[in-house]
Amino acid sequence: QVANAVNTVSAVTSSQSFAMGYSLTCQDGFGTCTLEAAVAVIVTEHGPGRCVYYPYARQADADAYFDSRSWMFVSRIMFRSCNGVIEEEIRAGGFPLAHNTIRSAASS
């Protein structure tokens, strides 16, 4: 019974992530552009609730940074963007625990 309870708790915690309070700031560098010129935006979480967005003018640049080894363990989500508006989620990477917080920050 204890093993079943542990498995149930593990399944619930791994399949759910909770959004928490957040801040959202833009990061310069890393090949970024203005949000208005972006076709893709990567939003990451660096510490609890501290979200950062990286706007890219070219999808290929966004893909290269998203797939880079240095971001392998960083919670991140890539969104499609048009005229400065984040429109839809393209893909997610890194630890999923922060993904709902990232989604909340991106929709604000």
Side-chain angles (χ1 to χ4, degrees):
Q1 289 177 340
V2 172
N4 287 340
V6 169
N7 289 340
T8 300
V9 169
S10 295
V12 168
T13 56
S14 66
S15 67
Q16 293 179 348
S17 62
F18 300 96
M20 61 180 300
Y22 56 84
S23 64
L24 181 63
T25 58
C26 183
Q27 179 66 48
D28 293 331
F30 301 94
T32 60
C33 65
T34 65
L35 185 58
E36 291 74 23
V39 297
V41 175
I42 298 172
V43 182
T44 63
E45 187 186 53
H46 299 277
R50 208 175 88 212
C51 296
V52 177
Y53 69 93
Y54 302 80
Y56 293 95
R58 295 179 343 120
Q59 184 67 49
D61 293 336
D63 289 334
Y65 280 99
F66 191 93
D67 295 330
S68 71
R69 293 185 82 193
S70 62
W71 280 11
M72 185 182 307
F73 298 109
V74 175
S75 295
R76 63 201 183 282
I77 299 177
M78 184 187 300
F79 298 90
R80 190 170 328 283
S81 178
C82 184
N83 297 321
V85 177
I86 293 177
E87 295 184 334
E88 67 178 301
E89 185 173 321
I90 298 172
R91 60 183 174 140
F95 297 111
L97 188 61
H99 287 169
N100 280 345
T101 301
I102 293 169
R103 288 181 184 104
S104 293
S107 68
S108 64

